[in-house]
Amino acid sequence: FVDPDAVGYAHVNCVYVEYGANWSNISENKFFESGAASVSLLNCPHVNVSNNQIANAGRLGSVANGVCAGVRVASDSASFNQTLSVNIIVSGNIFVGCRAEAVYAASTSNVEISNNLISQPSNAVASFVYSAIALFSCAEAKVLNNSVSAYNTTNACFCFNTWDVSITNCRHIQ
């Protein structure tokens, strides 16, 4: 048993992989009340995160840099890295109560975020400040067929310094 109010709990991920997970599937899981991101992948190529139920991600962590996202995918390279964190699929997941973004991707390429249901950020700040999906310095990203509710920002998907992005049929439901 882990005490969710313990200081150390603030940095716990349900799944954390760094420099690995090549050709892996993270699917059919129920992640609940992670201290930080429920699934955090750093420098992991060719990963499929699908059909998971993710609730209350980032319960105690810092909201900066996607730390409290439901799924966080990143490369630690200061410049765009084409050899790591590529071909990432985040599809068919249910996100409820994430403290910040449901999906956060940074410095990655060939990212597809599709067919996810994203609802009810865990606090009022998240609903007004964070987008459901955030892409930073990503290339060749596809965001399609996601349903987003209860995020009051104008952007269901926020992109910064990102190129070759296709956003299709994403529904922002109030």
Side-chain angles (χ1 to χ4, degrees), residues 55-66:
N56 303 321
R59 185 164 183 256
L60 298 175
S62 165
V63 293
N65 299 319

Side-chain angles (χ1 to χ4, degrees), residues 88 105 108-113 133-144 157 159 162-168:
I88 307 296
T108 62
S109 65
N110 298 315
V111 178
E112 180 181 308
I113 302 166
I133 299 166
L135 304 173
F136 294 90
S137 299
C138 294
E140 300 176 21
K142 295 178 186 173
V143 180
L144 56 143
C157 180
C159 301
T162 299
W163 55 98
D164 292 333
V165 175
S166 171
I167 300 173
T168 308

Side-chain angles (χ1 to χ4, degrees), residues 2 4-5 13 15 25 29 33 47 52 55 59-60 80 83 85 119-120 125-126 128 140 145 149 152-153 160 167 171:
V2 176
D5 296 320
N13 305 98
V15 174
N25 290 308
N29 297 289
E33 287 192 351
V47 178
N52 296 291
R59 185 164 183 256
L60 298 175
F80 175 71
T83 60
S85 296
S119 68
Q120 301 172 347
V125 173
F128 286 98
E140 300 176 21
N145 299 325
S149 67
N152 295 319
T153 59
F160 177 78
I167 300 173
R171 297 167 299 283

Side-chain angles (χ1 to χ4, degrees), residues 48-52 89-93 112-116 146:
N48 182 353
V49 181
S50 61
N51 301 316
N52 296 291
I89 298 172
V90 180
S91 179
N93 299 288
E112 180 181 308
I113 302 166
S114 63
N115 301 307
N116 296 291
N146 295 286

